[in-house]
Amino acid sequence: MSRKISRRTMMAGTAAGVAAAALNFPKPAIAQAKPFKLGLLTVKTGPLAQGGIQMEQGVQTYLKLNNNKMGDRPVEFISADTGGNPAGAKTKAQELVERNKVDVILGPLAAFELYAINDYIRQQKMPTLSLAAADDLTQRHANPFLVRASATSSQAMHPMGHYAATEMKLKRAVTIVEDFAFGYEQMGGFQASFQKDGGCVSKKLWPPIVTPDYTPYLAQITDCDVVCQGFAGSNPIRFMKQYASAGLKYPVVTGETGGDDALLTSFGEDALGLVSCCPYTLDLESDGNQRFVDGMRKNFNTVPGFYAAGLYTNCEVVAAGLKATGGDSSDREKFLNAMRSATLSDSPRGPVKFDHFGNVVGNFYVRRLGKEGAKYGLKLWNKTIKTYENVSQFWTWPEKEYLAHPVYSRNYPPLGKC
């Protein structure tokens, strides 16, 4: 017996069948829906441009080595030049967020730039993976939307001060660095740890960031047995040349920027013996670092330093966060927590994890500049002579004790009597 089926019944059944079929097929992955928008705040002009260009190269190297994807999502990369000043950093951050609709910001480079955009990051709830080392933004005034896989300004200088006092057996230091936030915090970290281990800082010198001639400052370097310089960008090259030309013979120590591996092609023999402490070192023998170095050499015909390695590592953290969320970055707080929970076992800088403020805990390498072990056609080489493992932003101080003190500044710690 035949049964009539009305058009309405047939349509309802068809719709139900389509709906059931839809439930049985996988939904399009987020990677297929839209690209992940990756924004970079960097510097391509002025004295900090050397590092800023390496920042961009570090991101591009990661993308080239990973088929332009992060966590299986295709990446749209937008790079913005801040000009290396606070106003430029804020303007470019607004453009990335409001015009380009980025999912995350990498950068900026300078501590004063990060301080300038801090409030805006908070207001926009924008996940930001900073290279800039502004100490207090992962300390007393922690920004909950910040992740830092590089270092605070003082983080490398803490072990450098310890090494100078305990292993180099130095007692009396003069410090010299650019007159801005990164410089204050670097030298505060060096002074605090150097003095903790028996040393004394007798004088602090603060040349402007654009200083073609350091002669007036070099003339003030007397009566010490070590000089700690913290220059950034291309300034370390000029300082070391003028230091040697002035006939000064005191040993020189520095942090992550003052002895950066990317400067090895530009340093002269006047810089031989420079001892630096850095969260990245070119001579790290690991698969992760070799892959990164090979990528930088292949794509840009250059050897990388701290700036490039820091941004490459930031990209690895972003990818780990996306993997943990199944590629979904729409819930910013969930995505941010996934990045802060990431652990990397083989980044270019070695193992990486984060403290509860979102700041890195990792290895820091003390190196001596010489000729031994040089590779990649270089004449000079930073050879690692000591590795400090699991270095936190609080060094060896208990967290509460550390945070009870003011942020390092031009006048803190104060000079004592040597």
Side-chain angles (χ1 to χ4, degrees), residues 81-133:
D81 181 5
T82 67
N85 64 76
K90 188 168 183 180
T91 297
K92 293 301 181 181
Q94 291 172 327
E95 289 180 4
L96 288 177
V97 173
E98 298 171 29
R99 184 175 70 189
N100 300 117
K101 309 294 184 184
V102 297
D103 294 290
V104 70
I105 288 177
L106 305 180
L109 185 155
F112 58 75
E113 293 181 300
L114 184 56
Y115 280 122
I117 67 172
N118 178 51
D119 288 343
Y120 182 73
I121 291 170
R122 288 173 178 268
Q123 292 163 5
Q124 297 295 320
K125 298 183 177 181
M126 173 54 57
T128 302
L129 286 87
S130 177
L131 181 81

Side-chain angles (χ1 to χ4, degrees), residues 115 134-136 139-140 185 403 405-410 412-413:
Y115 280 122
D135 278 23
D136 222 21
Q139 293 177 10
R140 299 158 197 83
E185 294 171 2
L403 295 177
H405 295 288
V407 66
Y408 295 133
S409 67
R410 220 175 187 270
Y412 183 82

Side-chain angles (χ1 to χ4, degrees), residues 30 46 48 57 132 188 219 223 231 235 239 254 303 313 323 412 415:
I30 293 174
L48 299 178
Q57 291 173 342
D223 193 24
F231 293 106
N235 286 345
F239 174 79
T254 188
V303 293
T313 303
K323 183 177 180 180
Y412 183 82
L415 285 176

